Amino acid sequence: MAGSYCIITYGCQMNEHDSEIMQGLLKARGYSKVDSEFEADVVVFNTCCVREGAESRAMSRCESLVSAKEKNPNMVIAMSGCVAQDQGKRLLDKLPHLDIVIGTRDYVHLPQLLDRVQVSGERVVAVDDIDKPFSVNSIPLRESKLKGFVNIMYGCNNGCTYCIVPKTRGEEWSRPIAEVVEEVRAMAAQGYREVMLLGQNVNSYMTDKREDFADLLGALNEIDDLWRIRYTTSNPKSCRDRHIGAVAGYEKVMENLHLPVQSGNDRVLRMMKRAYNSTRYRHLVSLYREQNPVHGLTTDIIVGFPTETRAEFEDTLRLVQEIRYDNAYMFMYSPRAGTVSAETMRDDVPLEEKKARLKELIDLQESIAWEKTREEIGRVHEVMVEGISKKDANQLQGHSRTFKRVVFPGNERLIGQRVKVKITGGTSHTLAGDIVTTEPAEALAAAGR
Ligand code: SAH
Ligand code: SF4
Ligand code: F3S
């Protein structure tokens, strides 16, 4: 007998998409969604352990369900995602009210595991599929009817010394092109116009038939009714000139690139085992910029890596100042048990110093983002209208090809269409503008088209 479910998701887009797949599986079994975990019959915590903060938030939110479960003994609580994969059955000891621990490639069996628990009352751990290729035979339940995530690969074979992801997501495995194309074609037939291709390192996409990321983009670019292809995450280590050529060469591939740099200092990059240096990184950025004059560029940065000196941190500031990202995700180093850096390096940058470096970096990035918004004024962007702005019901919102969020007044009948918007202002993270029906030549020139 089905009941209600609530999935609480932490972490990256892969985790978000795994939650959409779990929702699809539960819906197919007749479960209905509720917003509060306290009212659900099935609660899934889809967790992240990339930094300590994410992990402890999930653990304490799960702990807060103890008394709700005492009141409703039929409640089934599951933990999936990276904490579940990393800790496996140890979680059952830590969380005595937890029923199911389910790994990052086992979650497709969620309904069967629920059946087992509901019939027998036993507690189950399923984390063994970690290195297996796998395919999902269910339809993800996505919130948007216009754009959606699509997995192109699982796992990660890079050994960045600070990172827990290879341990929690297993070996790299790329889905065959035909399978990805089939999924995207079906989405386009249902009205989806944009896909975000997901992988920890999309540049190392390689199928059993030796087809690479550029081949995949070429195949997806042919799909009728699909307008926009985005992808994340690109990794400078495996990013080849051919990939940059391909992303520039296909009309449907959008002009935005998320290229995590992590640090601007070569010694720190070596300690992180990133396998590129700042010169190679700068080369990739200039190549991309040459081929995509109008674009969005974003990154990830870690401050306070073991032994990072003030002068080395300043190399990161210099790189950020020089490259001028549109947005950056910036973190304090957090040692994760089982990673090379946690096992072999002392976390010796004091917390206060990490915080000060992070603040300095965020302030710099924020001022660059404001400047970049000012530079946008007068440009015309193609925007796919995605819905009504959450902050202002009189405004529509969507994204430019360059992945900037854009808000503008307009009729909601435009949702699902592409319009041209001339930018008049905005904040550090959102552009504001007005729809233009004709395209003044000078505005197009300003946009570099
Ligand atoms: N596969 C992606 C990123 C995955 S994790 C890539 O290689 O770029 C997302 C981001 O979290 C990383 O880019 C990194 O900046 C950050 N991160 C990962 N491990 C971390 C740690 N131990 N401490 C702080 N930040 C970390
Ligand atoms: Fe982690 Fe590096 Fe893999 Fe990214 S490429 S998931 S940072 S090991
Ligand atoms: Fe977190 Fe796992 Fe993603 S550790 S960042 S949820 S791959």
Side-chain angles (χ1 to χ4, degrees):
M1 186 196 69
S4 58
Y5 74 87
C6 176
I7 302 183
I8 296 141
T9 310
Y10 298 86
C12 62
Q13 289 144 320
M14 333 255 150
N15 249 19
E16 278 177 45
H17 187 45
D18 291 345
S19 290
E20 292 172 343
I21 294 171
M22 286 191 278
Q23 291 201 70
L25 291 164
L26 292 175
K27 186 179 172 213
R29 284 290 185 106
Y31 283 92
S32 53
K33 183 173 173 171
V34 289
D35 290 332
S36 160
E37 68 257 41
F38 296 97
E39 274 137 43
D41 300 310
V42 173
V43 183
V44 183
F45 291 93
N46 193 13
T47 58
C48 169
C49 56
V50 81
R51 284 170 294 279
E52 196 187 343
E55 180 168 341
S56 41
R57 276 198 302 279
M59 295 296 280
S60 51
R61 189 149 169 196
C62 183
E63 275 158 10
S64 72
L65 272 185
V66 170
S67 59
K69 179 149 177 171
E70 275 162 12
K71 281 190 212 119
N72 173 10
N74 292 329
M75 181 187 258
V76 178
I77 306 177
M79 193 166 269
S80 62
C82 289
V83 176
Q85 185 67 54
D86 189 35
Q87 305 209 14
K89 67 176 176 5
R90 274 179 291 151
L91 279 178
L92 294 184
D93 302 329
K94 287 188 188 163
L95 301 164
H97 63 313
L98 187 64
D99 300 290
I100 304 178
V101 180
I102 187 164
T104 51
R105 293 192 201 184
D106 300 79
Y107 68 88
V108 288
H109 308 303
L110 178 63
Q112 293 76 10
L113 295 175
L114 284 172
D115 289 346
R116 253 172 76 187
V117 171
Q118 281 158 343
V119 171
S120 69
E122 65 185 315
R123 304 171 84 197
V124 294
V125 178
V127 291
D128 295 332
D129 288 348
I130 174 86
D131 289 323
K132 285 193 195 146
F134 87 138
S135 57
V136 177
N137 294 321
S138 82
I139 299 176
L141 187 59
R142 299 176 168 97
E143 206 175 295
S144 165
K145 300 284 168 247
L146 277 174
K147 57 180 198 172
F149 295 130
V150 173
N151 280 326
I152 62 166
M153 58 198 298
Y154 303 96
C156 179
N157 286 357
N158 296 317
C160 302
T161 52
Y162 51 81
C163 185
I164 194 76
V165 172
K167 190 172 165 211
T168 60
R169 295 271 158 177
E171 273 178 31
E172 229 167 77
W173 183 75
S174 299
R175 288 176 79 192
I177 288 189
E179 201 181 298
V180 178
V181 167
E182 195 188 324
E183 178 173 350
V184 176
R185 223 182 240 133
M187 287 171 72
Q190 284 169 30
Y192 282 89
R193 296 291 169 256
E194 177 175 320
V195 288
M196 172 74 91
L197 309 177
L198 298 180
Q200 291 295 350
N201 175 359
V202 294
N203 307 98
S204 66
Y205 177 89
M206 183 59 73
T207 65
D208 295 343
K209 293 184 183 158
R210 311 293 305 157
E211 296 149 321
D212 75 0
F213 184 54
D215 297 321
L216 174 70
L217 292 178
L220 293 172
N221 194 58
E222 299 300 312
I223 296 178
D224 292 338
D225 297 329
L226 179 70
W227 295 341
R228 296 178 150 202
I229 302 167
R230 302 189 197 274
Y231 51 94
T232 198
T233 296
S234 299
N235 190 313
K237 171 185 173 181
S238 350
C239 188
R240 287 191 282 274
D241 294 5
R242 167 174 152 80
H243 298 149
I244 293 190
V247 300
Y250 295 122
E251 163 65 19
K252 293 181 183 176
V253 178
M254 294 294 100
E255 294 83 15
N256 71 288
L257 179 67
H258 181 62
L259 194 64
V261 66
Q262 312 299 358
S263 165
N265 176 268
D266 290 346
R267 191 191 69 87
V268 174
L269 285 171
R270 272 198 307 278
M271 298 265 295
M272 291 176 163
K273 213 166 151 254
R274 286 291 286 181
Y276 55 85
N277 59 22
S278 57
T279 312
R280 169 77 186 155
Y281 185 90
R282 285 181 166 92
H283 162 77
L284 287 171
V285 169
S286 14
L287 193 66
Y288 182 75
R289 286 186 156 157
E290 259 165 44
Q291 300 197 18
N292 302 276
V294 180
H295 64 266
L297 181 67
T298 56
T299 200
D300 291 348
I301 298 173
I302 298 175
V303 303
F305 189 78
T307 73
E308 182 190 68
T309 63
R310 170 78 208 170
E312 287 169 335
F313 166 67
E314 282 168 8
D315 285 343
T316 301
L317 290 176
R318 247 187 306 280
L319 181 130
V320 166
Q321 183 80 65
E322 179 194 318
I323 291 195
R324 303 183 76 242
Y325 294 103
D326 293 275
N327 195 6
Y329 301 89
M330 297 161 280
F331 313 104
M332 285 189 284
Y333 170 70
S334 167
R336 309 283 45 224
T339 61
V340 172
S341 67
E343 305 302 324
T344 66
M345 303 172 199
R346 210 159 58 83
D347 180 19
D348 60 352
V349 180
L351 183 61
E352 285 313 309
E353 179 60 25
K354 279 185 190 164
K355 282 187 185 159
R357 287 181 197 177
L358 184 64
K359 180 172 186 312
E360 199 172 339
L361 183 62
I362 290 174
D363 288 349
L364 171 63
Q365 176 53 38
E366 191 63 12
S367 70
I368 293 169
W370 274 104
E371 278 167 27
K372 294 197 88 154
T373 294
R374 280 197 294 274
E375 289 162 20
E376 293 275 0
I377 294 173
R379 284 188 185 161
V380 173
H381 279 286
E382 173 201 288
V383 175
M384 184 171 89
V385 188
E386 292 162 20
I388 294 170
S389 163
K390 289 200 176 96
K391 288 190 190 141
D392 179 353
N394 297 317
Q395 302 261 335
L396 297 175
Q397 69 123 15
H399 286 84
S400 65
R401 294 178 63 100
T402 58
F403 211 30
K404 277 271 162 86
R405 181 168 174 269
V406 186
V407 295
F408 46 94
N411 190 305
E412 63 187 270
R413 277 190 312 229
L414 290 171
I415 294 170
Q417 297 183 28
R418 283 173 294 186
V419 295
K420 299 276 185 202
V421 176
K422 184 173 182 176
I423 305 306
T424 54
T427 61
S428 55
H429 295 285
T430 300
L431 302 177
D434 292 302
I435 294 177
V436 283
T437 38
T438 52
E439 298 173 356
E442 68 277 20
L444 280 177
R449 303 247 168 86

